[in-house]
Amino acid sequence: MGEILSMPDFRCASCGKIHSIADESARAHCLKLMDRLKLCGSLDFEHPGSETDQRLSTLPLFGEGRGQMFGILVCAPPIPGGQEIILKAFSGQFNGIWEIPGWAPPLLDPAIFDAAVKLADPAIKALSTEIDARSPGIERRTLIEKRRILSQLHMREIHDMYTIRNFKDETTSLFALFSGRIGIPAGTGDCCAPKLLNYASLHGLKPLSLAEFFWGRENRSATKQHRGFYAPCNDKCAPILGYMLCGADNED
Ligand SMILES: [Zn+2]
Ligand SMILES: [Zn+2]
């Protein structure tokens, strides 16, 4: 069982203050989501039984592919006296799929992302083949440098697809939030917390509680265990969550 870590505070790049969010109530809903994942063995909750989309089976999470993070965001009732809205998300893509009905969508447009990858991948792969065929020397070094620049441009193009929004109707870019840092890690913006907060902001929902857990076979570095609760990651999420939570807490 993974260690239960509490939700940290995040410094905000918009107002300079520290923002945080509770996690107790979201954890309770995470436990319910775990039960559902176990019962269904799939992320396709909408088609139980024989109509289940086979690509959404959770079986690969317990094999070589290893587990994945899942998360819950509890939002305040949109109308007084109404019911809380419970949002759920999986981190990154699930089995190569960005969008699954009932789950928070990614921040980027999957069609635009796929088109960019289709365009850039062959050129990068062709360069790699050429590099492998060359013996060490100046030509090989030039090719390696060319590939490095091409990959960087491609990453920049992808990072440019993310609009980071908060709860004060403000938006910013990954470049602004990561300025002064070594670089933007691949997959930034694809974790559960940013997906959930982005969806809430876009739909005028007020977030109350957020929690994330790991489901499946322990990750390679053995830092995440099946059913363990974990705080949002330090490298990708911590630099953006302060901004994303701005305007969502109750301090004012
Ligand atoms: Zn993260
Ligand atoms: Zn702020």
Side-chain angles (χ1 to χ4, degrees):
M1 200 77 47
E3 189 190 351
I4 299 197
L5 299 169
S6 60
M7 189 62 73
D9 295 330
F10 303 101
R11 174 149 317 262
C12 175
S14 172
C15 72
K17 288 185 194 159
I18 297 285
H19 300 305
S20 61
I21 183 164
D23 61 349
E24 292 83 2
S25 125
R27 280 180 188 228
H29 285 282
C30 281
L31 294 176
K32 287 186 203 165
L33 178 55
M34 290 182 199
D35 287 346
R36 215 165 165 196
L37 285 169
K38 194 177 175 194
L39 190 73
C40 294
S42 165
L43 270 63
D44 187 8
F45 296 159
E46 298 192 355
H47 303 95
S50 55
E51 285 168 36
T52 301
D53 186 337
Q54 293 304 316
R55 297 171 308 157
L56 304 183
S57 165
T58 54
L59 216 58
L61 300 183
F62 294 87
E64 268 313 299
R66 298 187 184 251
Q68 196 160 341
M69 290 296 291
F70 292 84
I72 291 277
L73 182 69
V74 179
C75 296
I79 47 163
Q83 281 203 329
E84 285 178 336
I85 306 285
I86 313 300
L87 304 175
K88 60 183 185 296
F90 53 89
S91 62
Q93 302 180 42
F94 186 84
N95 195 12
I97 301 164
W98 280 112
E99 290 173 298
I100 301 174
W103 298 82
L107 275 68
L108 51 67
D109 181 333
I112 294 174
F113 173 83
D114 289 345
V117 170
K118 238 182 209 158
L119 219 69
D121 259 11
I124 293 170
K125 278 192 183 126
L127 272 172
S128 295
T129 310
E130 217 178 316
I131 289 163
D132 289 343
R134 298 282 168 112
S135 46
I138 188 124
E139 274 183 67
R140 188 169 191 269
R141 276 207 301 278
T142 310
L143 287 170
I144 290 173
E145 179 60 10
K146 201 173 163 191
R147 181 178 60 182
R148 191 183 65 80
I149 292 167
L150 211 63
S151 302
Q152 259 178 6
L153 284 172
H154 180 48
M155 280 305 281
R156 201 186 157 83
E157 187 188 17
I158 289 172
H159 290 144
D160 208 19
M161 294 176 192
Y162 291 77
T163 299
I164 308 297
R165 53 189 77 244
N166 62 21
F167 291 86
K168 295 194 305 189
D169 281 331
E170 294 173 335
T171 61
T172 189
S173 66
L174 288 180
F175 305 109
L177 293 175
F178 279 82
S179 71
R181 290 171 196 265
I182 297 164
I184 306 171
T188 297
D190 296 336
C191 291
C192 297
K195 280 190 191 180
L196 292 162
L197 291 170
N198 178 66
Y199 185 91
S201 169
L202 279 172
H203 291 82
L205 297 167
K206 181 182 165 55
L208 299 177
S209 182
L210 172 74
E212 295 182 26
F213 66 91
F214 188 79
W215 190 257
R217 184 176 166 197
E218 172 182 86
N219 64 344
R220 278 181 211 286
S221 50
T223 51
K224 293 196 174 90
Q225 270 95 39
H226 185 46
R227 288 180 170 273
F229 282 98
Y230 299 96
C233 66
N234 258 324
D235 54 339
K236 294 178 279 186
C237 287
I240 66 174
L241 289 187
Y243 183 93
M244 292 194 85
L245 285 167
C246 195
D249 44 19
N250 292 311
E251 59 185 34
D252 305 314

Short mmCIF file of all heavy atoms in Angstrom, two decimals, residues 191-192 194 212 232-238, ligand 1:
data_model
loop_
_atom_site.label_atom_id
_atom_site.label_comp_id
_atom_site.label_asym_id
_atom_site.label_seq_id
_atom_site.Cartn_x
_atom_site.Cartn_y
_atom_site.Cartn_z
N CYS A 191 -1.28 15.48 -16.42
CA CYS A 191 -1.61 14.73 -15.19
C CYS A 191 -3.08 14.99 -14.82
O CYS A 191 -3.74 15.85 -15.39
CB CYS A 191 -0.71 15.17 -14.05
SG CYS A 191 1.01 14.66 -14.24
N CYS A 192 -3.56 14.23 -13.85
CA CYS A 192 -4.97 14.33 -13.46
C CYS A 192 -5.32 15.72 -12.94
O CYS A 192 -6.35 16.30 -13.34
CB CYS A 192 -5.28 13.31 -12.38
SG CYS A 192 -5.07 11.62 -12.94
N PRO A 194 -4.13 18.91 -13.40
CA PRO A 194 -4.39 19.96 -14.38
C PRO A 194 -5.60 19.67 -15.26
O PRO A 194 -6.36 20.59 -15.58
CB PRO A 194 -3.10 20.02 -15.22
CG PRO A 194 -2.25 18.89 -14.79
CD PRO A 194 -2.74 18.41 -13.48
N GLU A 212 -5.36 12.19 -5.88
CA GLU A 212 -4.89 11.32 -6.95
C GLU A 212 -4.37 10.01 -6.37
O GLU A 212 -3.74 10.01 -5.32
CB GLU A 212 -3.75 11.99 -7.74
CG GLU A 212 -4.16 13.24 -8.49
CD GLU A 212 -3.01 13.84 -9.29
OE1 GLU A 212 -2.09 13.10 -9.68
OE2 GLU A 212 -3.03 15.05 -9.51
N PRO A 232 0.22 15.72 -6.10
CA PRO A 232 0.57 16.06 -7.48
C PRO A 232 2.10 16.09 -7.64
O PRO A 232 2.82 16.47 -6.72
CB PRO A 232 -0.03 17.44 -7.67
CG PRO A 232 -1.20 17.47 -6.74
CD PRO A 232 -0.75 16.67 -5.53
N CYS A 233 2.58 15.68 -8.82
CA CYS A 233 4.03 15.52 -9.00
C CYS A 233 4.76 16.86 -8.95
O CYS A 233 4.21 17.90 -9.30
CB CYS A 233 4.32 14.79 -10.31
SG CYS A 233 3.85 15.70 -11.79
N ASN A 234 6.01 16.78 -8.52
CA ASN A 234 6.83 17.97 -8.32
C ASN A 234 7.32 18.59 -9.61
O ASN A 234 7.36 19.81 -9.75
CB ASN A 234 8.06 17.60 -7.48
CG ASN A 234 7.89 18.04 -6.05
OD1 ASN A 234 7.30 19.08 -5.79
ND2 ASN A 234 8.38 17.23 -5.13
N ASP A 235 7.73 17.74 -10.56
CA ASP A 235 8.41 18.26 -11.75
C ASP A 235 7.43 18.90 -12.73
O ASP A 235 7.69 19.97 -13.26
CB ASP A 235 9.24 17.17 -12.43
CG ASP A 235 8.43 15.92 -12.74
OD1 ASP A 235 7.37 15.71 -12.11
OD2 ASP A 235 8.85 15.14 -13.62
N LYS A 236 6.28 18.25 -12.95
CA LYS A 236 5.36 18.77 -13.96
C LYS A 236 4.23 19.62 -13.37
O LYS A 236 3.86 20.64 -13.93
CB LYS A 236 4.74 17.59 -14.75
CG LYS A 236 5.76 16.84 -15.59
CD LYS A 236 5.13 15.66 -16.30
CE LYS A 236 5.01 14.47 -15.38
NZ LYS A 236 4.55 13.25 -16.08
N CYS A 237 3.67 19.15 -12.25
CA CYS A 237 2.45 19.81 -11.73
C CYS A 237 2.72 20.97 -10.77
O CYS A 237 2.03 21.99 -10.86
CB CYS A 237 1.55 18.77 -11.08
SG CYS A 237 0.73 17.74 -12.31
N ALA A 238 3.68 20.80 -9.87
CA ALA A 238 3.90 21.86 -8.87
C ALA A 238 4.10 23.25 -9.51
O ALA A 238 3.54 24.23 -9.02
CB ALA A 238 5.08 21.50 -7.98
ZN ZN B 1 1.74 15.73 -12.32
#
